[in-house]
Protein backbone atom coordinates (compact mmCIF):
# COMPACT_ATOMS: atom_id res chain seq x y z
CA UNK A 1 0.00 0.00 0.00
CA UNK A 2 1.30 3.43 -0.84
CA UNK A 3 0.99 5.35 2.41
CA UNK A 4 1.23 8.64 0.55
CA UNK A 5 -2.14 8.03 -1.06
CA UNK A 6 -3.85 7.42 2.23
CA UNK A 7 -1.96 9.55 4.69
CA UNK A 8 -4.08 12.22 6.34
CA UNK A 9 -0.79 13.88 7.24
CA UNK A 10 0.11 14.89 3.74
CA UNK A 11 3.27 13.92 2.00
CA UNK A 12 4.31 10.52 3.32
CA UNK A 13 3.27 10.75 6.95
CA UNK A 14 5.55 11.51 9.88
CA UNK A 15 8.34 9.15 8.83
CA UNK A 16 8.41 9.38 5.03
CA UNK A 17 11.80 7.70 4.67
CA UNK A 18 11.31 4.92 7.18
CA UNK A 19 10.59 1.45 5.86
CA UNK A 20 9.84 -1.81 7.64
CA UNK A 21 12.42 -2.83 10.25
CA UNK A 22 15.15 -5.10 8.81
CA UNK A 23 14.46 -7.69 11.53
CA UNK A 24 10.91 -8.23 10.29
CA UNK A 25 12.08 -8.34 6.68
CA UNK A 26 14.84 -10.88 7.29
CA UNK A 27 12.76 -13.08 9.62
CA UNK A 28 9.97 -13.17 7.03
CA UNK A 29 12.45 -14.10 4.32
CA UNK A 30 13.92 -16.85 6.52
CA UNK A 31 10.44 -18.20 7.12
CA UNK A 32 9.53 -18.19 3.41
CA UNK A 33 12.68 -20.11 2.51
CA UNK A 34 12.78 -22.31 5.57
CA UNK A 35 16.25 -20.94 6.34
CA UNK A 36 18.14 -21.04 9.64
CA UNK A 37 17.46 -17.61 11.11
CA UNK A 38 20.68 -16.08 12.42
CA UNK A 39 19.27 -12.67 11.49
CA UNK A 40 16.92 -11.34 14.14
CA UNK A 41 18.46 -11.63 17.61
CA UNK A 42 16.61 -14.21 19.64
CA UNK A 43 17.60 -17.52 21.25
CA UNK A 44 16.29 -20.80 19.80
CA UNK A 45 16.90 -22.72 23.03
CA UNK A 46 14.53 -23.15 25.95
CA UNK A 47 14.35 -20.52 28.68
CA UNK A 48 14.23 -21.41 32.39
CA UNK A 49 11.27 -23.66 33.16
CA UNK A 50 11.43 -22.42 36.73
CA UNK A 51 10.70 -18.89 35.54
CA UNK A 52 7.81 -20.15 33.43
CA UNK A 53 6.30 -21.90 36.43
CA UNK A 54 6.75 -18.75 38.55
CA UNK A 55 4.63 -16.91 35.98
CA UNK A 56 2.01 -19.63 36.18
CA UNK A 57 2.00 -19.42 39.97
CA UNK A 58 1.65 -15.64 39.88
CA UNK A 59 -1.39 -15.94 37.62
CA UNK A 60 -2.97 -18.58 39.83
CA UNK A 61 -2.29 -16.39 42.86
CA UNK A 62 -4.48 -13.78 41.25
CA UNK A 63 -1.96 -11.26 39.91
CA UNK A 64 -4.06 -10.64 36.84
CA UNK A 65 -5.17 -7.03 37.15
CA UNK A 66 -3.37 -3.77 36.33
CA UNK A 67 0.06 -3.48 37.87
CA UNK A 68 1.27 -0.18 39.33
CA UNK A 69 1.85 2.34 36.53
CA UNK A 70 5.60 2.39 37.30
CA UNK A 71 5.87 -1.38 37.77
CA UNK A 72 5.30 -3.83 40.62
CA UNK A 73 7.06 -2.31 43.67
CA UNK A 74 8.72 -5.59 44.68
CA UNK A 75 10.26 -6.00 41.22
CA UNK A 76 11.57 -2.42 41.29
CA UNK A 77 13.03 -3.09 44.73
CA UNK A 78 14.83 -6.21 43.46
CA UNK A 79 16.20 -4.26 40.49
CA UNK A 80 17.51 -1.54 42.83
CA UNK A 81 19.23 -4.20 44.93
CA UNK A 82 20.82 -5.69 41.84
CA UNK A 83 22.06 -2.25 40.71
CA UNK A 84 23.64 -1.76 44.14
CA UNK A 85 25.28 -5.16 44.11
CA UNK A 86 26.61 -5.11 40.55
CA UNK A 87 27.39 -1.44 40.04
CA UNK A 88 27.40 0.03 43.55
CA UNK A 89 24.64 2.33 42.36
CA UNK A 90 22.16 3.89 44.77
CA UNK A 91 18.93 3.71 42.82
CA UNK A 92 15.66 4.72 44.44
CA UNK A 93 13.10 2.11 43.40
CA UNK A 94 10.16 4.51 43.75
CA UNK A 95 11.60 7.52 42.00
CA UNK A 96 14.01 6.07 39.47
CA UNK A 97 12.78 2.80 37.98
CA UNK A 98 9.93 2.16 35.55
CA UNK A 99 9.09 -1.27 34.14
CA UNK A 100 8.45 -1.16 30.40
CA UNK A 101 7.22 -3.45 27.64
CA UNK A 102 10.76 -4.10 26.42
CA UNK A 103 14.02 -2.24 25.99
CA UNK A 104 13.05 -0.66 22.67
CA UNK A 105 10.03 0.96 24.32
CA UNK A 106 12.25 2.24 27.14
CA UNK A 107 14.55 3.89 24.59
CA UNK A 108 11.64 5.43 22.68
CA UNK A 109 10.08 6.77 25.86
CA UNK A 110 13.40 8.21 27.08
CA UNK A 111 13.86 10.11 23.83
CA UNK A 112 10.23 11.22 23.62
CA UNK A 113 10.20 12.51 27.17
CA UNK A 114 12.98 15.02 26.49
CA UNK A 115 13.21 15.79 22.76
CA UNK A 116 11.79 18.97 21.32
CA UNK A 117 11.60 20.13 17.73
CA UNK A 118 15.02 20.74 16.13
CA UNK A 119 16.98 19.26 19.04
CA UNK A 120 20.05 17.34 17.90
CA UNK A 121 20.90 13.85 19.07
CA UNK A 122 24.29 12.24 18.52
CA UNK A 123 23.93 8.70 17.18
CA UNK A 124 26.79 6.35 16.38
CA UNK A 125 26.51 4.23 13.25
CA UNK A 126 25.97 1.37 12.68
CA UNK A 127 22.98 2.08 14.94
CA UNK A 128 20.23 -0.14 16.24
CA UNK A 129 17.43 0.56 13.83
CA UNK A 130 14.88 2.16 16.15
CA UNK A 131 17.00 5.11 17.32
CA UNK A 132 16.77 7.33 14.26
CA UNK A 133 13.02 6.96 13.64
CA UNK A 134 12.50 7.61 17.38
CA UNK A 135 14.37 10.90 17.02
CA UNK A 136 12.66 11.91 13.77
CA UNK A 137 9.15 11.20 15.02
CA UNK A 138 9.82 13.76 17.75
CA UNK A 139 10.80 16.41 15.20
CA UNK A 140 14.43 16.25 16.32
CA UNK A 141 17.53 15.66 14.22
CA UNK A 142 19.97 12.73 14.35
CA UNK A 143 23.62 13.77 14.07
CA UNK A 144 25.40 10.72 12.72
CA UNK A 145 28.93 9.68 13.63
CA UNK A 146 30.46 6.51 12.15
CA UNK A 147 32.15 4.10 14.56
CA UNK A 148 35.66 3.15 13.52
CA UNK A 149 35.79 -0.05 11.48
CA UNK A 150 36.65 -2.84 12.25
CA UNK A 151 36.67 -2.49 16.07
CA UNK A 152 33.72 -0.09 15.91
CA UNK A 153 35.22 2.20 18.54
CA UNK A 154 33.92 5.69 19.23
CA UNK A 155 35.84 8.57 17.55
CA UNK A 156 35.62 10.99 20.47
CA UNK A 157 37.32 13.87 18.65
CA UNK A 158 34.52 13.84 16.15
CA UNK A 159 31.94 13.79 18.95
CA UNK A 160 33.45 16.97 20.40
CA UNK A 161 33.39 18.57 16.95
CA UNK A 162 29.75 17.69 16.32
CA UNK A 163 28.37 19.12 19.56
CA UNK A 164 26.40 22.35 19.06
CA UNK A 165 24.13 24.52 21.18
CA UNK A 166 21.27 22.32 19.97
CA UNK A 167 22.74 18.99 21.10
CA UNK A 168 20.25 17.51 23.54
CA UNK A 169 21.42 13.93 23.89
CA UNK A 170 23.94 11.24 23.03
CA UNK A 171 22.85 7.63 22.58
CA UNK A 172 25.34 5.09 23.91
CA UNK A 173 24.94 1.36 23.35
CA UNK A 174 27.22 -1.19 25.00
CA UNK A 175 27.47 -4.10 24.40
CA UNK A 176 26.74 -2.82 20.96
CA UNK A 177 24.10 -4.03 18.56
CA UNK A 178 24.88 -4.82 15.72
CA UNK A 179 28.66 -5.12 16.20
CA UNK A 180 29.33 -6.64 19.64
CA UNK A 181 31.73 -3.79 20.53
CA UNK A 182 32.04 -2.95 24.23
CA UNK A 183 32.96 0.46 25.66
CA UNK A 184 35.80 0.77 28.18
CA UNK A 185 36.78 3.14 31.00
CA UNK A 186 38.45 5.48 28.51
CA UNK A 187 35.11 5.93 26.76
CA UNK A 188 33.45 6.66 30.09
CA UNK A 189 36.08 9.32 30.85
CA UNK A 190 35.32 10.95 27.51
CA UNK A 191 31.64 10.92 28.23
CA UNK A 192 32.21 12.46 31.64
CA UNK A 193 34.26 15.27 30.16
CA UNK A 194 31.50 15.99 27.63
CA UNK A 195 28.74 16.28 30.20
CA UNK A 196 30.98 18.40 32.41
CA UNK A 197 31.55 20.83 29.57
CA UNK A 198 27.99 20.78 28.26
CA UNK A 199 25.48 20.89 31.07
CA UNK A 200 22.47 20.51 28.76
CA UNK A 201 23.37 17.17 27.23
CA UNK A 202 21.57 14.03 28.34
CA UNK A 203 22.55 10.41 27.80
CA UNK A 204 20.37 7.53 26.68
CA UNK A 205 22.27 4.35 27.43
CA UNK A 206 21.04 1.17 25.76
CA UNK A 207 22.35 -1.62 28.01
CA UNK A 208 20.01 -4.41 27.02
CA UNK A 209 22.98 -6.80 26.63
CA UNK A 210 24.38 -5.87 30.05
CA UNK A 211 25.07 -9.49 31.06
CA UNK A 212 26.38 -10.60 27.69
CA UNK A 213 29.96 -9.38 28.04
CA UNK A 214 32.86 -11.69 27.15
CA UNK A 215 36.61 -12.13 27.46
CA UNK A 216 36.80 -11.09 31.12
CA UNK A 217 35.70 -7.52 30.35
CA UNK A 218 33.49 -5.61 32.76
CA UNK A 219 30.23 -4.05 31.64
CA UNK A 220 30.67 -0.28 31.86
CA UNK A 221 27.18 0.55 33.03
CA UNK A 222 26.29 4.20 33.33
CA UNK A 223 24.85 3.16 36.70
CA UNK A 224 28.41 2.99 38.06
CA UNK A 225 28.98 6.71 37.57
CA UNK A 226 26.85 9.15 39.63
CA UNK A 227 27.97 12.16 37.59
CA UNK A 228 26.69 10.48 34.42
CA UNK A 229 23.67 8.92 36.06
CA UNK A 230 22.24 12.28 37.03
CA UNK A 231 21.69 13.07 33.35
CA UNK A 232 20.94 9.62 31.98
CA UNK A 233 18.19 7.24 31.01
CA UNK A 234 19.54 3.67 31.19
CA UNK A 235 17.53 0.99 29.40
CA UNK A 236 17.48 -2.75 30.12
CA UNK A 237 15.77 -5.92 28.84
CA UNK A 238 14.64 -9.03 30.70
CA UNK A 239 14.12 -10.73 27.34
CA UNK A 240 17.88 -10.77 26.66
CA UNK A 241 18.73 -11.73 30.24
CA UNK A 242 16.34 -14.66 30.54
CA UNK A 243 16.12 -15.88 26.92
CA UNK A 244 12.52 -14.74 26.48
CA UNK A 245 12.59 -11.91 23.93
CA UNK A 246 8.91 -12.60 23.14
CA UNK A 247 7.87 -11.59 26.65
CA UNK A 248 8.68 -7.97 25.79
CA UNK A 249 9.57 -6.72 29.23
CA UNK A 250 12.38 -4.44 30.36
CA UNK A 251 12.92 -1.33 32.40
CA UNK A 252 14.43 2.13 32.51
CA UNK A 253 16.48 3.62 35.33
CA UNK A 254 16.94 7.40 35.32
CA UNK A 255 17.62 10.28 37.65
CA UNK A 256 14.46 11.26 39.59
CA UNK A 257 13.87 14.38 37.50
CA UNK A 258 14.26 12.58 34.20
CA UNK A 259 12.16 9.65 35.39
CA UNK A 260 9.35 12.04 36.24
CA UNK A 261 9.28 13.16 32.61
CA UNK A 262 9.60 9.57 31.39
CA UNK A 263 6.51 8.55 33.37
CA UNK A 264 4.45 11.40 31.94
CA UNK A 265 4.87 9.81 28.52
CA UNK A 266 4.73 6.20 29.67
CA UNK A 267 1.47 6.52 31.63
CA UNK A 268 -0.49 7.50 28.53
CA UNK A 269 1.19 5.07 26.20
CA UNK A 270 1.19 1.57 27.68
CA UNK A 271 0.24 2.70 31.22
CA UNK A 272 1.49 -0.47 32.92
CA UNK A 273 3.12 -3.78 32.02
CA UNK A 274 1.50 -7.20 32.54
CA UNK A 275 1.43 -7.94 36.25
CA UNK A 276 2.06 -11.70 36.53
CA UNK A 277 5.41 -11.64 34.68
CA UNK A 278 6.58 -8.88 37.00
CA UNK A 279 5.82 -10.93 40.12
CA UNK A 280 7.62 -13.90 38.62
CA UNK A 281 10.68 -11.83 37.70
CA UNK A 282 10.82 -10.30 41.20
CA UNK A 283 11.12 -13.81 42.58
CA UNK A 284 13.54 -15.05 39.92
CA UNK A 285 15.93 -12.12 40.48
CA UNK A 286 16.82 -13.78 43.80
CA UNK A 287 18.71 -16.32 41.70
CA UNK A 288 21.89 -14.36 40.98
CA UNK A 289 23.53 -17.21 39.17
CA UNK A 290 20.84 -17.08 36.47
CA UNK A 291 22.19 -13.76 35.22
CA UNK A 292 25.80 -13.90 36.39
CA UNK A 293 26.46 -17.12 34.46
CA UNK A 294 25.11 -15.67 31.26
CA UNK A 295 28.30 -14.06 29.91
CA UNK A 296 30.23 -17.35 29.93
CA UNK A 297 27.31 -19.30 28.55
CA UNK A 298 26.87 -17.01 25.55
CA UNK A 299 30.62 -16.54 25.06
CA UNK A 300 30.92 -20.30 24.52
CA UNK A 301 28.37 -19.94 21.72
CA UNK A 302 30.33 -17.10 20.12
CA UNK A 303 33.48 -19.24 20.28
CA UNK A 304 31.74 -22.34 18.97
CA UNK A 305 30.26 -20.47 16.02
CA UNK A 306 33.49 -18.66 15.24
CA UNK A 307 35.30 -21.96 15.24
CA UNK A 308 32.79 -23.58 12.87
CA UNK A 309 32.93 -20.49 10.63
CA UNK A 310 36.63 -21.18 10.03
CA UNK A 311 35.42 -23.68 7.45
CA UNK A 312 33.82 -20.82 5.47
CA UNK A 313 35.30 -17.87 3.59
CA UNK A 314 33.86 -15.37 6.07
CA UNK A 315 36.29 -13.43 8.27
CA UNK A 316 35.18 -12.62 11.82
CA UNK A 317 35.33 -9.08 13.17
CA UNK A 318 35.83 -8.72 16.93
CA UNK A 319 32.78 -9.26 19.16
CA UNK A 320 33.15 -8.83 22.93
CA UNK A 321 29.50 -8.86 23.87
CA UNK A 322 25.82 -9.05 22.79
CA UNK A 323 24.19 -11.83 20.75
CA UNK A 324 26.04 -10.85 17.61
CA UNK A 325 29.21 -11.14 15.62
CA UNK A 326 29.90 -9.43 12.34
CA UNK A 327 31.68 -11.26 9.55
CA UNK A 328 33.33 -9.70 6.54
CA UNK A 329 32.95 -11.18 3.07
CA UNK A 330 35.33 -8.72 1.44
CA UNK A 331 37.38 -10.45 -1.16
CA UNK A 332 35.09 -13.32 -2.06
CA UNK A 333 31.97 -11.58 -3.35
CA UNK A 334 31.21 -8.38 -5.22
CA UNK A 335 27.59 -8.38 -4.16
CA UNK A 336 26.25 -5.69 -1.88
CA UNK A 337 25.44 -6.95 1.59
CA UNK A 338 21.67 -7.06 1.05
CA UNK A 339 22.08 -9.06 -2.15
CA UNK A 340 24.34 -11.52 -0.40
CA UNK A 341 22.02 -11.81 2.62
CA UNK A 342 19.11 -12.61 0.31
CA UNK A 343 21.14 -15.13 -1.71
CA UNK A 344 22.39 -16.88 1.43
CA UNK A 345 18.80 -17.25 2.59
CA UNK A 346 17.48 -18.50 -0.73
CA UNK A 347 20.35 -20.68 -1.91
CA UNK A 348 22.11 -21.77 1.27
CA UNK A 349 19.31 -21.65 3.83
CA UNK A 350 21.02 -19.29 6.30
CA UNK A 351 19.77 -15.81 7.14
CA UNK A 352 21.93 -12.95 8.44
CA UNK A 353 21.39 -9.19 8.64
CA UNK A 354 23.23 -6.87 6.19
CA UNK A 355 25.11 -4.22 8.15
CA UNK A 356 24.23 -1.46 5.68
CA UNK A 357 20.72 -1.49 7.14
CA UNK A 358 22.15 0.09 10.29
CA UNK A 359 23.45 3.12 8.36
CA UNK A 360 21.23 5.97 7.13
CA UNK A 361 23.42 6.27 4.05
CA UNK A 362 23.32 2.52 3.39
CA UNK A 363 27.14 2.41 3.83
CA UNK A 364 28.27 -1.05 2.84
CA UNK A 365 31.52 -2.47 4.26
CA UNK A 366 30.67 -5.97 3.00
CA UNK A 367 29.73 -7.18 6.43
CA UNK A 368 26.88 -9.37 7.69
CA UNK A 369 25.66 -9.69 11.29
CA UNK A 370 25.08 -13.20 12.62
CA UNK A 371 23.21 -14.02 15.85
CA UNK A 372 24.98 -16.83 17.71
CA UNK A 373 22.48 -17.11 20.60
CA UNK A 374 21.42 -20.50 19.26
CA UNK A 375 21.75 -24.20 20.04
CA UNK A 376 25.10 -25.70 19.00
CA UNK A 377 23.30 -27.93 16.50
CA UNK A 378 21.79 -24.82 14.86
CA UNK A 379 25.16 -23.05 14.69
CA UNK A 380 26.87 -26.16 13.33
CA UNK A 381 24.28 -26.66 10.60
CA UNK A 382 24.42 -22.97 9.63
CA UNK A 383 28.23 -22.98 9.36
CA UNK A 384 28.15 -26.27 7.41
CA UNK A 385 25.76 -24.73 4.91
CA UNK A 386 27.86 -21.56 4.62
CA UNK A 387 31.02 -23.61 4.05
CA UNK A 388 29.55 -24.66 0.67
CA UNK A 389 29.69 -21.05 -0.51
N1 LIG B 1 17.08 -6.66 19.02
C1 LIG B 1 16.84 -7.64 18.03
C2 LIG B 1 17.92 -7.64 16.99
O1 LIG B 1 18.74 -6.79 16.96
C3 LIG B 1 15.56 -7.48 17.28
C4 LIG B 1 14.48 -6.70 17.90
C5 LIG B 1 13.34 -6.53 16.93
O2 LIG B 1 13.12 -7.35 16.07
N2 LIG B 1 12.68 -5.45 17.03
O3 LIG B 1 17.95 -8.51 16.18
Amino acid sequence: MNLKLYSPLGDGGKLPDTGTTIFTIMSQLALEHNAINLGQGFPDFMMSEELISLVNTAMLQGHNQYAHMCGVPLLREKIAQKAKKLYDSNVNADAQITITPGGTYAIYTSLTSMLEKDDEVIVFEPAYDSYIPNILVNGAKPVLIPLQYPAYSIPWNEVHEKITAKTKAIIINSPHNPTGAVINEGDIEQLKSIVQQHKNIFIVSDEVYEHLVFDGLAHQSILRYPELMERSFVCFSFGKTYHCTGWKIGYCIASPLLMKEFRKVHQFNCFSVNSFVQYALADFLNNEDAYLSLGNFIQRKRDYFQNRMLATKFKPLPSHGSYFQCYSYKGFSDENDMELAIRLTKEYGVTAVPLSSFYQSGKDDNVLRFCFAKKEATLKEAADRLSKL
Side-chain angles (χ1 to χ4, degrees):
M1 176 168 94
N2 181 355
L3 182 66
K4 281 187 184 174
L5 290 178
Y6 299 94
S7 173
L9 301 170
D11 206 10
K14 290 187 80 173
L15 294 169
D17 300 320
T18 301
T20 302
T21 165
I22 189 69
F23 308 119
T24 297
I25 290 174
M26 296 317 291
S27 284
Q28 185 58 33
L29 198 69
L31 210 62
E32 275 163 28
H33 296 276
N34 204 14
I36 298 173
N37 189 355
L38 304 189
Q40 196 177 24
F42 62 89
D44 73 341
F45 44 86
M46 188 57 174
M47 63 172 297
S48 157
E49 288 185 22
E50 185 193 338
L51 179 51
I52 292 174
S53 76
L54 288 173
V55 171
N56 197 28
T57 305
M59 292 174 102
L60 290 172
Q61 282 173 346
H63 295 300
N64 300 301
Q65 309 309 328
Y66 290 128
H68 190 291
M69 182 269 278
C70 307
V72 165
L74 182 64
L75 175 58
R76 285 186 280 136
E77 200 45 56
K78 294 287 173 188
I79 291 169
Q81 285 168 13
K82 179 175 172 235
K84 178 73 189 163
K85 190 159 181 122
L86 292 185
Y87 307 122
D88 197 22
S89 183
N90 294 313
V91 174
N92 181 311
D94 280 335
Q96 293 188 259
I97 303 176
T98 298
I99 309 299
T100 62
T104 304
Y105 173 102
I107 294 161
Y108 171 79
T109 307
S110 302
L111 290 164
T112 299
S113 65
M114 67 170 151
L115 289 184
E116 291 169 57
K117 194 170 173 308
D118 298 330
D119 280 345
E120 294 178 1
V121 182
I122 291 182
V123 179
F124 300 108
E125 287 194 310
Y128 182 60
D129 77 339
S130 73
Y131 301 161
I132 290 169
N134 285 180
I135 294 164
L136 293 172
V137 84
N138 281 294
K141 185 180 156 208
V143 173
L144 306 173
I145 298 183
L147 295 170
Q148 289 163 314
Y149 178 90
Y152 295 103
S153 48
I154 299 177
W156 287 105
N157 285 343
E158 201 176 334
V159 179
H160 284 277
E161 284 163 16
K162 292 256 167 89
I163 290 177
T164 72
K166 289 184 173 170
T167 309
K168 185 63 142 311
I170 300 181
I171 303 180
I172 297 287
N173 171 213
S174 180
H176 186 253
N177 183 2
T179 68
V182 164
I183 59 169
N184 57 34
E185 283 179 58
D187 295 306
I188 293 288
E189 287 310 313
Q190 292 282 353
L191 206 50
K192 280 186 193 168
S193 93
I194 284 173
V195 298
Q196 257 159 26
Q197 282 172 50
H198 306 277
K199 299 286 180 207
N200 301 325
I201 297 184
F202 299 98
I203 299 164
V204 175
S205 184
D206 174 355
E207 302 187 13
V208 300
Y209 298 101
E210 116 194 81
H211 296 298
L212 306 173
V213 179
F214 317 139
D215 308 316
L217 298 172
H219 172 52
Q220 289 299 331
S221 178
I222 294 294
L223 295 181
R224 290 181 195 271
Y225 305 97
E227 61 273 60
L228 295 178
M229 200 46 219
E230 77 190 6
R231 37 188 55 257
S232 296
F233 297 90
V234 191
C235 303
F236 298 93
S237 158
F238 284 113
K240 311 297 188 303
T241 301
Y242 293 134
H243 315 310
C244 51
T245 60
W247 285 18
K248 289 303 298 178
I249 181 161
Y251 55 98
C252 179
I253 303 182
S255 70
L257 280 178
L258 295 183
M259 186 45 78
K260 204 167 151 221
E261 296 304 312
F262 183 100
R263 287 173 178 171
K264 287 183 193 171
V265 177
H266 164 74
Q267 67 184 342
F268 297 124
N269 193 1
C270 98
F271 176 62
S272 75
V273 174
N274 62 82
S275 50
F276 42 91
V277 171
Q278 295 190 57
Y279 283 94
L281 288 169
D283 196 339
F284 202 60
L285 275 174
N286 292 324
N287 178 354
E288 288 177 13
D289 195 49
Y291 54 83
L292 293 179
S293 60
L294 206 61
N296 282 339
F297 172 70
I298 297 285
Q299 178 178 330
R300 281 198 295 276
K301 294 190 178 294
R302 178 205 60 181
D303 293 345
Y304 180 82
F305 185 57
Q306 197 171 302
N307 210 19
R308 306 295 315 186
M309 286 290 277
L310 289 175
T312 74
K313 292 182 191 146
F314 286 95
K315 293 282 171 285
L317 303 183
S319 161
H320 298 295
S322 82
Y323 277 166
F324 310 111
Q325 184 155 20
C326 291
Y327 283 78
S328 165
Y329 62 89
K330 224 173 230 138
F332 75 82
S333 165
D334 296 334
E335 291 153 290
N336 69 43
D337 60 1
M338 190 67 196
E339 283 166 357
L340 182 63
I342 292 172
R343 190 161 71 87
L344 290 183
T345 300
K346 290 185 176 169
E347 294 176 19
Y348 294 87
V350 180
T351 299
V353 175
L355 224 70
S356 64
S357 51
F358 301 100
Y359 288 93
Q360 280 303 95
S361 64
K363 182 171 184 284
D364 184 356
D365 287 319
N366 298 344
V367 171
L368 299 178
R369 186 196 82 170
F370 291 89
C371 171
F372 50 70
K374 304 287 174 187
K375 291 183 246 185
E376 281 197 357
T378 309
L379 297 174
K380 178 180 182 306
E381 178 61 24
D384 285 351
R385 291 182 187 186
L386 292 175
S387 69
K388 306 206 171 75
L389 185 72

